[in-house]
Amino acid sequence: MIVLDTPIDMHLHLREGKILENVLSHTTNQFAAAVIMPNLIPPVDNKERLFNYKEEILAKSENFTPLMNLFMREYSEDELLDLAEEIFAIKLYPAGITTNSENGVKSIENIYPVLEIMQELNIPLSVHGESSGFVLDREREFKSIYEKLARDFPKLKIIMEHVGTADLLYLLDEYENLYATITLHHLLLTLDEVAGGMLNPHYFCKPIIKTPKDRLEIQKFVKSGHKKVMFGSDSAPHTIKNKLKGAAGVFSAPVILPALAEFFENDIETFQKFISTNAIENFNLNIPKREVKLIKEEWSAPYLVGEIKPMFAGRKFRYKVL
Amino acid sequence: MIVLDTPIDMHLHLREGKILENVLSHTTNQFAAAVIMPNLIPPVDNKERLFNYKEEILAKSENFTPLMNLFMREYSEDELLDLAEEIFAIKLYPAGITTNSENGVKSIENIYPVLEIMQELNIPLSVHGESSGFVLDREREFKSIYEKLARDFPKLKIIMEHVGTADLLYLLDEYENLYATITLHHLLLTLDEVAGGMLNPHYFCKPIIKTPKDRLEIQKFVKSGHKKVMFGSDSAPHTIKNKLKGAAGVFSAPVILPALAEFFENDIETFQKFISTNAIENFNLNIPKREVKLIKEEWSAPYLVGEIKPMFAGRKFRYKVL
């Protein structure tokens, strides 16, 4: 049996309403807490929207702590003073780069005053780090922006989200204030899953899953137990209909712990760091302790969750969440 | 006005029956001849199938020469003696690598006796050159097989089809008996067209369209007028329904000459070489002369051809085929 102490998903999309209802339990079954992304329509970028969204999640879950993120805009100091205690971080989307990011930030300089305030108030910055360049180069091209942000705001904790390009991980040791989340799909898959056989929209996501070399480097970082590397699923539910229309996102929530249990198999200590301890220590998180157990028993991933096809649909795993 | 002498598409998929009926005129309007690929179900790999297929094409066209390809298998010398005059080349598909290639060649060594006979009879070898490795590396990984084939059969003319990885083009000057075809989509597009925004199945193909660097190198080779570089569209009609199921192939036939006219704009001499003269000289082709004219007049690509969505659907071009 594997016993995990207070697992946290540091990057989760739940959407709202019916989709949220369908997917939420797949996370709360496995995680004590999750960082909830704010790219709804309209975005979660004010107190009312934030409170309502948090309430919706709490009303539909038990023993689960949603760590709320705000969608970046030009907030005033008063607004952030009012909200600082209610949020985990503020999420920066470059405009137009992924699902519902049309209202994102067009120029990083515009939000420098906000970053100043966040630094003062100790609110972390969460970043979808992609340029608008060639799809395979976008994360690498964003590297210099991460470096500039890290230098210009040395006390601001900056999270490089869902890193899929190994190059970015080397920044972790160069800049004290940079952190990274890694998804299940960037950890385990490559572009072959999308385009190697027939085109498979269910593994299409932004940033796109990349090369075997990137995957290998990411796996090395995760297996090393690097303190600044944390699990964040970026699990993103889209209906099959929307996936066939080209929507980006992988719905990995149902299979996360069984898949990670196989990945870590003989190194539960590193598993625990990756899935919880690193995040708690990096951000002084205060989350009610909750144990999650996996037993070694064959378990099959669901084929369908509502109208959403999950990652590894139907695949057999050697571990089952109790 | 641009006047092209006897344009030839050196790599074309027409399928059969209703699809062929829908798509054929889009090629015959623009081309005096085309090399017809044999990956039907079942494959075109015997005299009867070959004759029937050629007849089907001739019955539905005028002033058009189909240059027939056979699907590679372990042919006897008698079979090839009987067919040599009827075919342009024999197409080698590594098993399982693209549409209807399940009956392809599992080990190149198995067909060495056939290659010996082809070399003697002066039948060119046409190759879909991809390994079964990571999707972006497959052409590069096939490079050593091209080199081995070129060395082992120095008198066999070998066509590297639909080259999408610039590395392969450098082989043209190293091996006298290697030739290359280039598609419209590898010449003009990158992976961004498939995965840069929403996922777009209509530009998904094998070999997959690759990086801006690959495209730039391909464009340089084509613009240089390299004698061994020939146009081959690899135009491959799939219904929208099948594209949404993940089928690989770009249906470029309707837009080829208008798009190439824009690409070459001020260099009609190189256009003529790429679209005809190089092929005629490389393979001593004897095709009834036919002029195809383009005028400088706005023309819109069709949105739909039967149930098939063409490349550049609805896009406006500055040239129109007369």
Side-chain angles (χ1 to χ4, degrees), chain B residues 298-315:
Chain B
E298 192 179 275
W299 174 77
S300 293
Y303 282 100
L304 213 59
V305 171
E307 294 167 40
I308 303 149
K309 186 173 174 183
M311 182 173 173
F312 294 149
R315 184 189 285 197

Side-chain angles (χ1 to χ4, degrees), chain A residues 133-136 138 190-192 194-201 204 206 208 210-212 244-247, chain B residues 133-136 138 190-192 194-201 204 206 208 210-212 244-247:
Chain A
F134 175 60
V135 62
L136 294 173
R138 288 176 190 171
T190 70
L191 187 61
D192 268 350
V194 180
M198 304 285 273
L199 190 66
N200 184 352
F204 171 63
K206 298 287 174 70
I208 202 157
K210 299 195 174 64
T211 69
L244 288 176
K245 286 181 183 167
Chain B
F134 175 60
V135 63
L136 294 174
R138 288 176 190 170
T190 71
L191 187 61
D192 268 349
V194 180
M198 305 284 273
L199 190 66
N200 184 351
F204 172 63
K206 299 286 174 71
I208 201 156
K210 299 193 175 65
T211 69
L244 287 177
K245 285 181 184 167

Side-chain angles (χ1 to χ4, degrees), chain B residues 56-75:
Chain B
E56 183 182 0
I57 297 165
L58 288 173
K60 291 171 182 159
S61 59
E62 270 175 47
N63 303 320
F64 179 72
T65 306
L67 301 162
M68 305 305 288
N69 271 6
L70 274 182
F71 195 95
M72 179 63 80
R73 62 169 171 82
E74 294 175 41
Y75 293 102

Side-chain angles (χ1 to χ4, degrees), chain B residues 61-92:
Chain B
S61 59
E62 270 175 47
N63 303 320
F64 179 72
T65 306
L67 301 162
M68 305 305 288
N69 271 6
L70 274 182
F71 195 95
M72 179 63 80
R73 62 169 171 82
E74 294 175 41
Y75 293 102
S76 70
E77 185 162 10
D78 282 351
E79 283 181 295
L80 290 189
L81 274 168
D82 191 30
L83 286 168
E85 296 296 309
E86 310 296 336
I87 61 175
F88 167 66
I90 300 180
K91 176 77 183 286
L92 167 62

Side-chain angles (χ1 to χ4, degrees), chain A residues 179-233:
Chain A
Y179 300 85
T181 61
I182 303 284
T183 76
L184 189 66
H185 46 289
H186 290 95
L187 179 69
L188 298 181
L189 306 177
T190 70
L191 187 61
D192 268 350
E193 216 67 40
V194 180
M198 304 285 273
L199 190 66
N200 184 352
H202 295 288
Y203 291 106
F204 171 63
C205 58
K206 298 287 174 70
I208 202 157
I209 42 176
K210 299 195 174 64
T211 69
K213 185 170 171 290
D214 286 307
R215 177 177 60 177
L216 187 66
E217 292 288 307
I218 289 168
Q219 290 182 345
K220 276 189 202 166
F221 263 85
V222 170
K223 284 195 168 153
S224 78
H226 197 292
K227 195 177 151 38
K228 294 165 90 182
V229 170
M230 305 166 292
F231 178 71
S233 69

